[in-house]
Amino acid sequence: MDKLLDSDDEVMLRDAARGFLDENAPITAFRANRDAGRPFDPGLWAEMARMGWAGVLVPEESGGADMGHRAAGILSEEMGKTLAATPFISSAVIAATALRETGSDRLAEISGGDALYALAIDEHVKHAPTRTALEARQTGNAFRLSGRKCFVADGSTANRLLVLARTSGADGEDQGLTLFDIGADRAGLSRATANSIDARDFATLDFDNVDATGDDVVGDVDNGLAALAPALRTGQAALAAELGGLSSGIAAITLGYLKERKQFDRTIGSFQALQHRAAHLFAEIEVTASAIANAGRVLDADPETAQVAVSLAKARASQTAKLAVMEGVQMHGGIGMTDEYDAGFFMKRARVGTEWLGDYGHHAAIVAAARGV
């Protein structure tokens, strides 16, 4: 079997996920959540946890399904197609990866859907973990965290946080960073919900002498990037998969519109110019799907060497999503930008998803450097 083709088990997982999401998390459910001011449906997430999705990367001894990174990507793809809003990437992917190396007792809570994590790393308009300035001042075996984190996905609903702080060194240095796992109810921590265009949960977090202990440290003091890097890779791969699914979702909606909308007594899908644009988009989606599948396979086989494959997938998925939503809105015409129609939701989510965990430029630079460009 070609390594980029889904196995029989993966095909069954995809089919089951698609059926569940089509029934329980269609785009109408996303609209309902948005209108209700609700970041996600807790009941839906609880059901996903019962199906093993929250434990997709959690070891079986901790109550997880341990299905692997390709499986996590398949679930992310299917969620992207319907814009399903969940804490899947933050908790089931990023946090589970960061904590499984330390054998944390909270892995079982992640698998059960009870522990909802957010990753608090960025402090500027672009993804740049080494530019962390949030201070963790050490006193004996204790720390006090002071500073601000922005663009924290799932930041207002999470009950636990993975926080990257500077314990030594200067802004921009790789060393001197420490990763903490703390409760979101710690004294001195305040959260403000950000006004995200995609109606997802993003927040700004302010730390005012928030206490942490040595037990809260993930990995080693001053070497937090070593603990964080594997989690970032898995999160970037899953986000690339979500963007790939998003591209397929808006493409399917657009194709359906081309087959129904008529001008000059003909369906607009019969116009050759639109056929060419649709065919080009299809080709781009297929190539990107291969890059996404490859990233998942490399993460499963050799995660330490997977960064280039992951960055290639995230860069391609970002560009393809941008193309898909632009073509989708343009082919729909004016209705594509109205709130009453679903196409605009895909454009807004694509805009945010391409920025989170590194934009096209960030990941293209990683690929270029690996190729000696």
Side-chain angles (χ1 to χ4, degrees):
M1 184 190 74
D2 189 302
K3 69 176 182 178
L4 297 184
L5 297 178
D6 290 341
S7 67
D8 290 342
D9 287 344
E10 289 165 349
V11 170
M12 287 191 292
L13 175 65
R14 186 184 295 280
D15 290 344
R18 185 175 301 162
F20 173 81
L21 291 166
D22 285 345
E23 180 178 354
N24 296 282
I27 301 174
T28 52
F30 173 80
R31 183 186 291 274
N33 285 333
R34 185 207 63 173
D35 292 347
R38 182 173 57 187
F40 69 95
D41 181 354
L44 175 67
W45 180 240
E47 184 60 30
M48 289 179 173
R50 282 192 288 271
M51 294 190 299
W53 293 12
V56 64
L57 296 179
V58 175
E60 293 181 4
E61 57 267 27
S62 296
D66 204 10
M67 290 185 279
H69 298 286
R70 178 58 186 143
I74 289 171
L75 294 176
S76 291
E77 284 183 65
E78 295 306 317
M79 291 185 208
K81 290 178 183 177
T82 64
L83 299 180
T86 75
F88 178 75
I89 293 179
S90 295
S91 288
V93 176
I94 296 175
T97 301
L99 298 180
R100 71 178 292 162
E101 298 300 323
T102 64
S104 171
D105 294 338
R106 293 197 177 89
L107 285 169
E109 297 176 34
I110 291 175
S111 180
D114 299 317
L116 300 179
Y117 273 85
L119 179 64
I121 51 174
D122 287 318
E123 302 176 13
H124 305 277
V125 295
K126 292 294 183 180
H127 176 65
T130 61
R131 294 201 59 197
T132 291
L134 186 146
E135 180 187 24
R137 189 172 63 258
Q138 187 169 4
T139 305
N141 194 38
F143 300 85
R144 284 197 167 179
L145 280 59
S146 297
R148 169 174 288 186
K149 294 291 184 180
C150 61
F151 200 41
V152 180
D154 302 302
S156 67
T157 53
N159 52 33
R160 296 206 65 82
L161 303 169
L162 289 177
V163 184
L164 190 64
R166 186 161 292 284
T167 42
S168 66
D171 184 357
E173 294 182 354
D174 292 353
Q175 294 299 308
L177 295 170
T178 302
L179 188 64
F180 293 89
D181 176 4
I182 67 173
D185 58 352
R186 291 281 174 95
L189 172 62
S190 60
R191 302 188 277 183
T193 301
N195 185 21
S196 173
I197 61 170
D198 65 347
R200 298 293 184 95
D201 177 15
F202 285 89
T204 298
L205 309 184
D206 285 298
F207 297 76
D208 183 9
N209 289 317
V210 175
D211 288 328
T213 70
D215 292 336
D216 297 324
V217 174
V218 180
D220 299 321
V221 173
D222 287 342
N223 195 26
L225 286 185
L228 180 62
L232 281 178
R233 283 194 293 268
T234 58
Q236 290 158 352
L239 183 55
E242 183 192 317
L243 289 171
L246 178 153
S247 299
S248 295
I250 184 60
I253 291 174
T254 302
L255 186 60
Y257 184 76
L258 295 180
K259 293 177 179 178
E260 296 175 358
R261 179 76 167 95
K262 288 187 175 181
Q263 285 186 347
F264 312 112
D265 296 324
R266 297 171 56 189
T267 58
I268 61 175
S270 66
F271 300 154
Q272 192 175 60
L274 296 185
Q275 291 176 355
H276 287 169
R277 290 169 64 175
H280 174 236
L281 176 57
F282 172 81
E284 291 298 310
I285 290 173
E286 289 297 300
V287 173
T288 297
S290 294
I292 291 167
N294 181 63
R297 300 282 187 233
V298 176
L299 279 168
D300 283 327
D302 189 5
E304 295 302 317
T305 65
Q307 186 61 66
V308 173
V310 169
S311 287
L312 177 62
K314 179 61 163 65
R316 273 213 62 96
S318 296
Q319 292 298 87
T320 301
K322 180 180 178 180
L323 174 66
V325 297
M326 288 179 62
E327 290 287 58
V329 169
Q330 288 179 14
M331 291 188 197
H332 277 87
I335 194 175
M337 290 303 296
T338 63
D339 188 69
E340 289 75 15
Y341 212 72
D342 294 333
F345 289 151
F346 286 86
M347 174 171 277
K348 293 171 183 176
R349 177 56 183 169
R351 186 68 184 89
V352 175
T354 57
E355 291 291 328
W356 187 33
L357 301 180
D359 61 8
Y360 173 83
H362 175 89
H363 289 286
I366 291 174
V367 175
R371 293 176 175 176
V373 177

PDB file of all heavy atoms in Angstrom, residues 307-315 360-373:
ATOM      1  N   GLN A 307       9.813  17.837  11.432  1.00  0.00           N
ATOM      2  CA  GLN A 307       9.482  19.254  11.319  1.00  0.00           C
ATOM      3  C   GLN A 307       9.348  19.731   9.877  1.00  0.00           C
ATOM      4  O   GLN A 307       8.437  20.501   9.552  1.00  0.00           O
ATOM      5  CB  GLN A 307      10.511  20.113  12.043  1.00  0.00           C
ATOM      6  CG  GLN A 307      10.146  21.605  12.093  1.00  0.00           C
ATOM      7  CD  GLN A 307       8.852  21.859  12.827  1.00  0.00           C
ATOM      8  OE1 GLN A 307       8.759  21.629  14.021  1.00  0.00           O
ATOM      9  NE2 GLN A 307       7.824  22.349  12.124  1.00  0.00           N
ATOM     10  N   VAL A 308      10.229  19.292   8.989  1.00  0.00           N
ATOM     11  CA  VAL A 308      10.146  19.746   7.595  1.00  0.00           C
ATOM     12  C   VAL A 308       8.851  19.261   6.953  1.00  0.00           C
ATOM     13  O   VAL A 308       8.157  20.027   6.261  1.00  0.00           O
ATOM     14  CB  VAL A 308      11.368  19.278   6.783  1.00  0.00           C
ATOM     15  CG1 VAL A 308      11.185  19.611   5.304  1.00  0.00           C
ATOM     16  CG2 VAL A 308      12.632  19.939   7.297  1.00  0.00           C
ATOM     17  N   ALA A 309       8.500  18.003   7.171  1.00  0.00           N
ATOM     18  CA  ALA A 309       7.257  17.467   6.616  1.00  0.00           C
ATOM     19  C   ALA A 309       6.050  18.209   7.177  1.00  0.00           C
ATOM     20  O   ALA A 309       5.093  18.515   6.447  1.00  0.00           O
ATOM     21  CB  ALA A 309       7.146  15.972   6.912  1.00  0.00           C
ATOM     22  N   VAL A 310       6.091  18.516   8.467  1.00  0.00           N
ATOM     23  CA  VAL A 310       4.990  19.236   9.099  1.00  0.00           C
ATOM     24  C   VAL A 310       4.896  20.660   8.561  1.00  0.00           C
ATOM     25  O   VAL A 310       3.802  21.148   8.231  1.00  0.00           O
ATOM     26  CB  VAL A 310       5.168  19.243  10.629  1.00  0.00           C
ATOM     27  CG1 VAL A 310       4.185  20.213  11.284  1.00  0.00           C
ATOM     28  CG2 VAL A 310       4.969  17.848  11.196  1.00  0.00           C
ATOM     29  N   SER A 311       6.032  21.334   8.462  1.00  0.00           N
ATOM     30  CA  SER A 311       6.022  22.714   7.968  1.00  0.00           C
ATOM     31  C   SER A 311       5.589  22.781   6.504  1.00  0.00           C
ATOM     32  O   SER A 311       4.893  23.715   6.095  1.00  0.00           O
ATOM     33  CB  SER A 311       7.410  23.350   8.136  1.00  0.00           C
ATOM     34  OG  SER A 311       7.660  23.646   9.494  1.00  0.00           O
ATOM     35  N   LEU A 312       5.999  21.795   5.711  1.00  0.00           N
ATOM     36  CA  LEU A 312       5.546  21.751   4.321  1.00  0.00           C
ATOM     37  C   LEU A 312       4.029  21.611   4.258  1.00  0.00           C
ATOM     38  O   LEU A 312       3.354  22.298   3.475  1.00  0.00           O
ATOM     39  CB  LEU A 312       6.217  20.587   3.591  1.00  0.00           C
ATOM     40  CG  LEU A 312       5.796  20.371   2.128  1.00  0.00           C
ATOM     41  CD1 LEU A 312       6.141  21.585   1.279  1.00  0.00           C
ATOM     42  CD2 LEU A 312       6.458  19.111   1.565  1.00  0.00           C
ATOM     43  N   ALA A 313       3.477  20.737   5.111  1.00  0.00           N
ATOM     44  CA  ALA A 313       2.028  20.539   5.130  1.00  0.00           C
ATOM     45  C   ALA A 313       1.302  21.806   5.578  1.00  0.00           C
ATOM     46  O   ALA A 313       0.295  22.201   4.981  1.00  0.00           O
ATOM     47  CB  ALA A 313       1.676  19.374   6.054  1.00  0.00           C
ATOM     48  N   LYS A 314       1.816  22.453   6.628  1.00  0.00           N
ATOM     49  CA  LYS A 314       1.151  23.664   7.127  1.00  0.00           C
ATOM     50  C   LYS A 314       1.244  24.804   6.116  1.00  0.00           C
ATOM     51  O   LYS A 314       0.273  25.550   5.897  1.00  0.00           O
ATOM     52  CB  LYS A 314       1.786  24.096   8.460  1.00  0.00           C
ATOM     53  CG  LYS A 314       1.190  25.374   9.078  1.00  0.00           C
ATOM     54  CD  LYS A 314      -0.277  25.239   9.410  1.00  0.00           C
ATOM     55  CE  LYS A 314      -0.763  26.314  10.388  1.00  0.00           C
ATOM     56  NZ  LYS A 314      -0.725  27.675   9.871  1.00  0.00           N
ATOM     57  N   ALA A 315       2.404  24.954   5.451  1.00  0.00           N
ATOM     58  CA  ALA A 315       2.551  26.008   4.450  1.00  0.00           C
ATOM     59  C   ALA A 315       1.605  25.765   3.275  1.00  0.00           C
ATOM     60  O   ALA A 315       0.903  26.679   2.823  1.00  0.00           O
ATOM     61  CB  ALA A 315       3.997  26.069   3.965  1.00  0.00           C
ATOM     62  N   TYR A 360       2.258  31.055   6.692  1.00  0.00           N
ATOM     63  CA  TYR A 360       2.967  30.502   5.531  1.00  0.00           C
ATOM     64  C   TYR A 360       4.444  30.890   5.541  1.00  0.00           C
ATOM     65  O   TYR A 360       5.323  30.044   5.310  1.00  0.00           O
ATOM     66  CB  TYR A 360       2.309  30.999   4.237  1.00  0.00           C
ATOM     67  CG  TYR A 360       3.096  30.602   3.001  1.00  0.00           C
ATOM     68  CD1 TYR A 360       2.947  29.338   2.440  1.00  0.00           C
ATOM     69  CD2 TYR A 360       4.000  31.491   2.409  1.00  0.00           C
ATOM     70  CE1 TYR A 360       3.679  28.967   1.321  1.00  0.00           C
ATOM     71  CE2 TYR A 360       4.734  31.126   1.298  1.00  0.00           C
ATOM     72  CZ  TYR A 360       4.568  29.867   0.756  1.00  0.00           C
ATOM     73  OH  TYR A 360       5.307  29.501  -0.341  1.00  0.00           O
ATOM     74  N   GLY A 361       4.741  32.160   5.813  1.00  0.00           N
ATOM     75  CA  GLY A 361       6.125  32.611   5.809  1.00  0.00           C
ATOM     76  C   GLY A 361       6.976  31.894   6.845  1.00  0.00           C
ATOM     77  O   GLY A 361       8.130  31.526   6.573  1.00  0.00           O
ATOM     78  N   HIS A 362       6.431  31.683   8.033  1.00  0.00           N
ATOM     79  CA  HIS A 362       7.156  30.986   9.096  1.00  0.00           C
ATOM     80  C   HIS A 362       7.549  29.582   8.657  1.00  0.00           C
ATOM     81  O   HIS A 362       8.709  29.168   8.803  1.00  0.00           O
ATOM     82  CB  HIS A 362       6.263  30.919  10.341  1.00  0.00           C
ATOM     83  CG  HIS A 362       6.839  30.131  11.482  1.00  0.00           C
ATOM     84  ND1 HIS A 362       7.635  30.689  12.447  1.00  0.00           N
ATOM     85  CD2 HIS A 362       6.721  28.809  11.798  1.00  0.00           C
ATOM     86  CE1 HIS A 362       7.997  29.766  13.322  1.00  0.00           C
ATOM     87  NE2 HIS A 362       7.458  28.613  12.951  1.00  0.00           N
ATOM     88  N   HIS A 363       6.601  28.840   8.106  1.00  0.00           N
ATOM     89  CA  HIS A 363       6.864  27.442   7.755  1.00  0.00           C
ATOM     90  C   HIS A 363       7.624  27.311   6.434  1.00  0.00           C
ATOM     91  O   HIS A 363       8.443  26.400   6.278  1.00  0.00           O
ATOM     92  CB  HIS A 363       5.550  26.664   7.726  1.00  0.00           C
ATOM     93  CG  HIS A 363       4.976  26.457   9.094  1.00  0.00           C
ATOM     94  ND1 HIS A 363       5.504  25.561   9.988  1.00  0.00           N
ATOM     95  CD2 HIS A 363       3.943  27.057   9.733  1.00  0.00           C
ATOM     96  CE1 HIS A 363       4.823  25.601  11.120  1.00  0.00           C
ATOM     97  NE2 HIS A 363       3.867  26.512  10.987  1.00  0.00           N
ATOM     98  N   ALA A 364       7.391  28.224   5.519  1.00  0.00           N
ATOM     99  CA  ALA A 364       8.163  28.200   4.272  1.00  0.00           C
ATOM    100  C   ALA A 364       9.640  28.445   4.560  1.00  0.00           C
ATOM    101  O   ALA A 364      10.517  27.844   3.913  1.00  0.00           O
ATOM    102  CB  ALA A 364       7.625  29.240   3.292  1.00  0.00           C
ATOM    103  N   ALA A 365       9.929  29.300   5.538  1.00  0.00           N
ATOM    104  CA  ALA A 365      11.323  29.568   5.910  1.00  0.00           C
ATOM    105  C   ALA A 365      11.987  28.324   6.484  1.00  0.00           C
ATOM    106  O   ALA A 365      13.176  28.063   6.231  1.00  0.00           O
ATOM    107  CB  ALA A 365      11.382  30.716   6.908  1.00  0.00           C
ATOM    108  N   ILE A 366      11.246  27.531   7.250  1.00  0.00           N
ATOM    109  CA  ILE A 366      11.796  26.292   7.807  1.00  0.00           C
ATOM    110  C   ILE A 366      12.125  25.309   6.695  1.00  0.00           C
ATOM    111  O   ILE A 366      13.196  24.680   6.683  1.00  0.00           O
ATOM    112  CB  ILE A 366      10.792  25.671   8.802  1.00  0.00           C
ATOM    113  CG1 ILE A 366      10.675  26.551  10.046  1.00  0.00           C
ATOM    114  CG2 ILE A 366      11.213  24.258   9.182  1.00  0.00           C
ATOM    115  CD1 ILE A 366       9.612  26.104  11.033  1.00  0.00           C
ATOM    116  N   VAL A 367      11.204  25.168   5.740  1.00  0.00           N
ATOM    117  CA  VAL A 367      11.450  24.255   4.608  1.00  0.00           C
ATOM    118  C   VAL A 367      12.627  24.740   3.776  1.00  0.00           C
ATOM    119  O   VAL A 367      13.505  23.952   3.374  1.00  0.00           O
ATOM    120  CB  VAL A 367      10.186  24.136   3.743  1.00  0.00           C
ATOM    121  CG1 VAL A 367      10.451  23.287   2.497  1.00  0.00           C
ATOM    122  CG2 VAL A 367       9.037  23.520   4.559  1.00  0.00           C
ATOM    123  N   ALA A 368      12.685  26.044   3.522  1.00  0.00           N
ATOM    124  CA  ALA A 368      13.778  26.595   2.714  1.00  0.00           C
ATOM    125  C   ALA A 368      15.130  26.380   3.393  1.00  0.00           C
ATOM    126  O   ALA A 368      16.113  26.017   2.739  1.00  0.00           O
ATOM    127  CB  ALA A 368      13.526  28.081   2.454  1.00  0.00           C
ATOM    128  N   ALA A 369      15.175  26.606   4.703  1.00  0.00           N
ATOM    129  CA  ALA A 369      16.429  26.418   5.431  1.00  0.00           C
ATOM    130  C   ALA A 369      16.882  24.972   5.375  1.00  0.00           C
ATOM    131  O   ALA A 369      18.077  24.677   5.238  1.00  0.00           O
ATOM    132  CB  ALA A 369      16.263  26.884   6.866  1.00  0.00           C
ATOM    133  N   ALA A 370      15.937  24.031   5.485  1.00  0.00           N
ATOM    134  CA  ALA A 370      16.285  22.610   5.441  1.00  0.00           C
ATOM    135  C   ALA A 370      16.820  22.208   4.075  1.00  0.00           C
ATOM    136  O   ALA A 370      17.624  21.272   3.962  1.00  0.00           O
ATOM    137  CB  ALA A 370      15.056  21.751   5.790  1.00  0.00           C
ATOM    138  N   ARG A 371      16.410  22.930   3.055  1.00  0.00           N
ATOM    139  CA  ARG A 371      16.864  22.636   1.683  1.00  0.00           C
ATOM    140  C   ARG A 371      18.085  23.467   1.285  1.00  0.00           C
ATOM    141  O   ARG A 371      18.538  23.420   0.143  1.00  0.00           O
ATOM    142  CB  ARG A 371      15.724  22.883   0.699  1.00  0.00           C
ATOM    143  CG  ARG A 371      14.571  21.897   0.855  1.00  0.00           C
ATOM    144  CD  ARG A 371      13.412  22.211  -0.063  1.00  0.00           C
ATOM    145  NE  ARG A 371      12.377  21.184   0.011  1.00  0.00           N
ATOM    146  CZ  ARG A 371      11.218  21.250  -0.624  1.00  0.00           C
ATOM    147  NH1 ARG A 371      10.949  22.320  -1.371  1.00  0.00           N
ATOM    148  NH2 ARG A 371      10.333  20.279  -0.508  1.00  0.00           N
ATOM    149  N   GLY A 372      18.580  24.241   2.236  1.00  0.00           N
ATOM    150  CA  GLY A 372      19.770  25.032   1.979  1.00  0.00           C
ATOM    151  C   GLY A 372      19.546  26.243   1.121  1.00  0.00           C
ATOM    152  O   GLY A 372      20.477  26.770   0.506  1.00  0.00           O
ATOM    153  N   VAL A 373      18.304  26.718   1.076  1.00  0.00           N
ATOM    154  CA  VAL A 373      17.974  27.894   0.255  1.00  0.00           C
ATOM    155  C   VAL A 373      18.233  29.170   1.055  1.00  0.00           C
ATOM    156  O   VAL A 373      17.823  29.291   2.205  1.00  0.00           O
ATOM    157  CB  VAL A 373      16.497  27.859  -0.187  1.00  0.00           C
ATOM    158  CG1 VAL A 373      16.150  29.104  -0.979  1.00  0.00           C
ATOM    159  CG2 VAL A 373      16.234  26.608  -1.006  1.00  0.00           C
TER     160      VAL A 373
END
